[in-house]
């Protein structure tokens, strides 16, 4: 009897979801979806997926003035339009829309506000030397966003269809991309649960949207090496958690430790894990070290393995593939392995630590000068007049060549 009531409740939810209206129009998400029932994954999988052919476009009547390139600040300026696609548990993905950039209208009880049903991506569009627009490995972003969605009970989607829509959106907004090296259009796909409920359970409605921000070089005057505070009292991620997914909930808890590091004169945290103080990530970036192996003297590059606590960075994957292809040909060992802060300190003391750097979409490569650990600064191999090591500079150059179209490469997708 209880199971019958639960199934009837699920049916009621699917019917109720039909009446839901757009968060861009009014705060009226109302689904009475019960949360004690078993997953409705099979039924949801049969619902319509994203259909690019159903796209509607409403252009702004008040286009924004362009800022001088040198005045662009990361994430502060936005383009004229946004792309949005709604989803409900009864209708699946609704027709996509490109509209003027606008506020969302959401009920105060919307589940994203209370239970962090939110995942996002960071990706860029580049204007190449041939004046073409190119995305960099968008399939990786689509895959990761779907993995993030799956982990927090948000709906998955057709990545190729969404990439098609992103391309159409970018063509509309291309005037915001300065025609100069180092500039790009930063894209922020975001997926949120929009059901109006204080009940804890899988949302019966969601919104996938895209906004864009023109950005300049992360280092306008060239590399600037950062200093890190090794942190073990606060933990960014743990086994069985969600550190390998790009969820907003992973970022807010890192702000206070970063502020504490800044008070001590350090730019970012180097996140350590466990009693052995395993090195994981740096700030919001993946982390790499280059050193000479003890005993053999062989040059190696290390980064932490994808064990469920490490974000599967697109730049991380790209660095590893390029390093295996190019540094590997020079005799380097490229390894995804666990290593500890003590190992790094020992390598530095013995003159074997060559360099260290973080990687991510926003910065591509961020060289590291020193790491504060247990009351001492561990030198990361840079000379006083250097801002980047040889490997970091080479990796940055390799990726820039691909992203800006200096070389043809399978990772670039023309818009």
């Amino acid at each position: 009897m209880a199971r019958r009531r639960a199934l009837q409740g699920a049916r009621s939810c699917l019917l109720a979801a039909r009446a839901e209206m757009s968060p861009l129009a009014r705060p009226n998400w109302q689904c009475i979806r019960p949360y004690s029932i078993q997953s409705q994954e099979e039924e949801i999988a049969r619902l319509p997926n994203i259909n690019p052919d159903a796209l509607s476009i409403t252009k702004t009547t008040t286009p924004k003035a362009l800022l001088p390139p040198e005045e662009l600040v990361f994430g502060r300026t936005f383009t004229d339009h946004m792309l949005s696609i709604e989803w409900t548990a009864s209708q699946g993905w609704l027709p996509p829309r490109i509209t003027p950039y606008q506020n969302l209208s959401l009920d105060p009880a919307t589940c994203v506000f209370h239970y962090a049903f939110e995942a996002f991506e960071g990706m860029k569009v580049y204007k190449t030397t041939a004046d073409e627009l190119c995305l960099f490995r968008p399939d990786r972003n689509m895959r990761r966003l779907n993995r993030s969605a799956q982990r927090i009970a948000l709906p998955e989607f057709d990545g190729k269809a969404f990439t098609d829509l992103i391309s159409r959106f970018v063509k509309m907004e291309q005037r915001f991309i300065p025609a100069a090296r180092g500039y790009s259009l930063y894209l922020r796909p975001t997926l949120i649960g929009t059901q109006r409920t204080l009940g804890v359970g899988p949302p019966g409605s969601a919104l996938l949207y895209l906004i864009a921000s023109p950005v300049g070089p992360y280092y306008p005057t060239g590399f600037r090496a950062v200093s890190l505070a090794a942190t073990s009292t606060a933990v960014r991620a743990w086994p069985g958690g969600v550190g390998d997914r790009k969820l907003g909930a992973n970022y807010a808890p890192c702000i206070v430790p970063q502020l504490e590091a800044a008070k001590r004169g350090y730019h970012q945290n180097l996140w350590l894990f466990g009693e052995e103080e395993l090195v994981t990530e740096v700030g919001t970036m993946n982390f790499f070290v280059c050193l000479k192996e003890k005993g053999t003297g062989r040059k190696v590059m290390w980064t932490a393995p994808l064990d469920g606590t490490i974000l599967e960075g697109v730049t991380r994957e790209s660095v590893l593939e390029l390093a295996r292809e190019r540094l590997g040909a020079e005799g380097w060992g490229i390894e995804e392995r666990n290593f500890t802060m003590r190992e790094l300190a020992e390598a530095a003391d013995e003159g074997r630590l060559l360099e260290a750097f973080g990687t991510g979409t926003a910065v591509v490569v961020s060289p590291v000068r020193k790491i504060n650990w247990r009351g001492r600064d561990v030198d990361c191999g840079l000379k006083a007049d250097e801002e980047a090591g040889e490997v970091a500079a080479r990796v940055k150059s390799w990726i820039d060549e691909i992203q800006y179209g200096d070389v043809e490469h399978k990772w670039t997708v023309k818009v």
Side-chain angles (χ1 to χ4, degrees), residues 226-293:
V226 299
S227 58
L228 310 178
T231 304
S232 57
T233 53
V235 179
R236 192 201 75 86
W238 51 90
V242 292
D244 61 337
R245 311 299 166 101
K246 203 164 180 65
L247 309 178
N250 283 337
Y251 290 77
C254 297
I255 300 303
V256 169
Q258 182 179 343
L259 292 174
E260 292 171 349
K263 289 178 182 177
R264 297 165 49 207
Y266 298 93
H267 299 94
Q268 291 282 358
N269 304 92
L270 179 64
W271 304 105
L272 307 181
F273 182 77
E275 293 183 1
E276 60 270 62
E277 296 185 309
L278 293 173
V279 175
T280 61
E281 296 190 2
V282 51
T284 58
M285 298 180 287
N286 295 117
F287 184 64
F288 288 79
V289 294
C290 299
L291 65 159
K292 293 181 180 179
E293 278 186 330

Side-chain angles (χ1 to χ4, degrees), residues 130-160:
D131 205 35
E132 296 176 318
L133 300 177
C134 286
L135 294 163
F136 180 73
R137 309 195 80 172
D139 59 313
R140 297 306 196 259
N141 297 100
M142 298 301 101
R143 181 180 69 185
R144 189 170 63 182
L145 185 53
N146 268 317
R147 291 186 69 246
S148 297
Q150 184 275 332
R151 182 63 175 82
I152 58 172
L154 287 174
E156 297 175 60
F157 58 90
D158 183 335
K160 290 184 178 180

Side-chain angles (χ1 to χ4, degrees), residues 28-103:
N28 192 35
W29 294 99
Q30 301 181 40
C31 179
I32 56 173
R33 188 174 191 168
Y35 296 121
S36 59
I37 62 172
Q38 64 182 12
S39 171
Q40 303 295 310
E41 291 180 0
E42 290 185 4
E43 187 169 353
I44 288 174
R46 291 193 292 268
L47 295 173
N49 214 308
I50 292 175
N51 179 11
D53 293 335
L55 174 66
S56 65
I57 299 175
T58 304
K59 292 186 178 181
T60 183
T61 58
T62 55
K64 299 172 183 176
L66 298 179
L67 280 180
E70 62 274 10
E71 293 183 15
L72 292 174
V73 177
F74 184 85
R76 299 286 182 86
T77 302
F78 298 95
T79 64
D80 287 333
H81 300 92
M82 63 187 294
L83 166 67
S84 60
I85 319 170
E86 297 169 50
W87 176 90
T88 72
S90 62
Q91 297 171 286
W93 290 102
L94 304 182
R97 295 181 296 156
I98 292 177
T99 62
Y101 188 97
Q102 61 189 276
N103 293 336

Side-chain angles (χ1 to χ4, degrees), residues 173-213:
E173 309 294 74
Q174 61 181 293
R175 73 184 183 92
F176 286 90
I177 310 176
R181 189 76 164 209
Y183 291 87
S184 59
L185 187 64
Y186 183 84
L187 304 177
R188 174 54 63 91
T190 305
L191 178 61
I192 62 173
T194 54
Q195 182 178 338
R196 186 185 67 142
T197 179
L198 296 183
V200 182
S205 57
L207 175 68
L208 175 62
Y209 68 91
L210 174 75
I211 56 177
S213 174

